[in-house]
């Protein structure tokens, strides 16, 4: 989840200017995603989160710890998986904003549960969707009591989300503490 967490918090520092929806509205008259979702933030966040994942893989490899990922197909697959995790976090965030706009919530408005879990939802959707990551995701998050890992992710996400947003608010990069 580290690539996801890093991808999720990167956009706020990137100060993107180009809205992903190019300022367009949905058929309900509200913005598709809103000005809070930019091309720079989405691409940059995916890149930074994915690079963090590559660093993790490299460290694990050179420490000889082995990686659960190397067992699933050629090395390229693990690279694909860490970038999928990074993008998945932002994909979930986009999904959250799409829903917020449909519910007529203004940019930055509080959206309980989705605010905390959008990244987990996005990562899980993509990991279980793509054939290259599905076997790995099932092995790591479902089979053999590994659903405990999934449960741990759910609990820790809530705590980490609260803490990082409060820090972001205190250092002035976020306008609201959620
Ligand atoms: N951001 C971005 N691109 C993304 C996600 C976030 O550029 N894909 C940047 C925006 O500057 C955004 C900030 O990070 O304002 C904080 O992200 P977030 O809290 O997710 O967006 P909000 O502004 O709160 O908008 P929304 O109501 O749609 O969640
Ligand atoms: Mg927000």
């Amino acid at each position: 989840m580290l690539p996801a967490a890093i991808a999720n918090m990167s956009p706020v520092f990137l100060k993107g200017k180009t809205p992903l929806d190019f300022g367009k509205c949905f058929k309900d008259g509200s913005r598709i995603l809103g000005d809070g979702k930019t091309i720079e933030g989405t691409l940059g966040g995916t890149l930074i989160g994915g690079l963090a994942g590559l660093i993790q893989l490299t460290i694990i490899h050179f420490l000889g710890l082995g990686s659960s990922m190397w067992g699933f197909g050629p090395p390229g697959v693990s690279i694909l998986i860490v970038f999928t995790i990074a993008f998945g976090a932002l994909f979930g965030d986009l999904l959250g904003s799409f829903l917020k706009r449909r519910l007529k919530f203004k940019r930055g408005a509080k959206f309980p549960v989705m605010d905390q879990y959008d990244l987990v939802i996005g990562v899980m959707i993509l990991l279980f969707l793509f054939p290259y990551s599905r076997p790995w995701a099932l092995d790591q998050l479902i089979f053999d009591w590994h659903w405990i890992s999934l449960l741990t992710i759910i609990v820790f996400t809530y705590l980490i989300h609260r803490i990082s947003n409060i820090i972001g608010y205190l250092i002035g990069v976020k306008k609201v503490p959620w």
Side-chain angles (χ1 to χ4, degrees):
M1 286 308 281
L2 193 69
I6 291 178
N8 192 59
M9 59 180 156
S10 296
V12 84
F13 297 101
L14 296 172
K15 312 238 180 298
K17 295 273 177 287
T18 325
L20 255 176
D21 63 7
F22 295 108
K24 287 197 171 65
C25 291
F26 199 60
K27 48 189 179 223
D28 60 7
S30 298
R31 287 286 296 277
I32 301 174
L33 299 170
D35 287 330
K37 308 294 120 155
T38 67
I39 293 179
E40 297 90 333
T42 310
L43 292 183
T46 302
L47 203 69
I48 296 169
L51 287 177
L54 289 188
I55 293 170
Q56 280 184 285
L57 286 174
T58 308
I59 292 171
I60 288 166
H61 185 70
F62 282 105
L63 288 182
L65 296 174
S67 163
S68 64
M69 285 188 176
W70 299 114
F72 287 90
V77 171
S78 36
I79 294 169
L80 215 54
I81 291 176
V82 293
F83 277 93
T84 302
I85 292 173
F87 177 68
L90 296 165
F91 171 70
D93 182 48
L94 298 180
L95 226 62
S97 289
F98 179 77
L99 286 177
K100 278 168 92 169
R101 301 297 93 82
R102 303 292 66 76
L103 295 167
K104 311 280 179 212
F105 286 7
K106 295 230 162 8
R107 175 181 178 183
K110 219 173 179 169
F111 191 10
V113 186
M114 209 52 189
D115 276 336
Q116 288 86 42
Y117 287 105
D118 55 5
L119 81 157
V120 180
I121 293 168
V123 169
M124 295 310 156
I125 290 176
L126 296 193
L127 282 182
F128 286 101
L129 180 75
F130 295 122
Y132 60 80
S133 52
R134 194 183 305 128
W136 178 79
L138 284 170
D139 184 79
Q140 293 298 300
L141 302 165
I142 307 286
F143 296 158
D144 282 333
W145 289 85
H146 289 168
W147 52 267
I148 291 176
S149 306
L150 186 56
L151 204 67
T152 308
I153 288 171
I154 292 168
V155 173
F156 271 80
T157 297
Y158 181 79
L159 297 176
I160 291 168
H161 192 97
R162 289 304 305 272
I163 295 166
S164 63
N165 281 333
I166 290 168
I167 292 172
Y169 175 70
L170 291 177
I171 64 173
V173 294
K174 265 192 83 85
K175 290 188 186 72
V176 289
W178 57 79

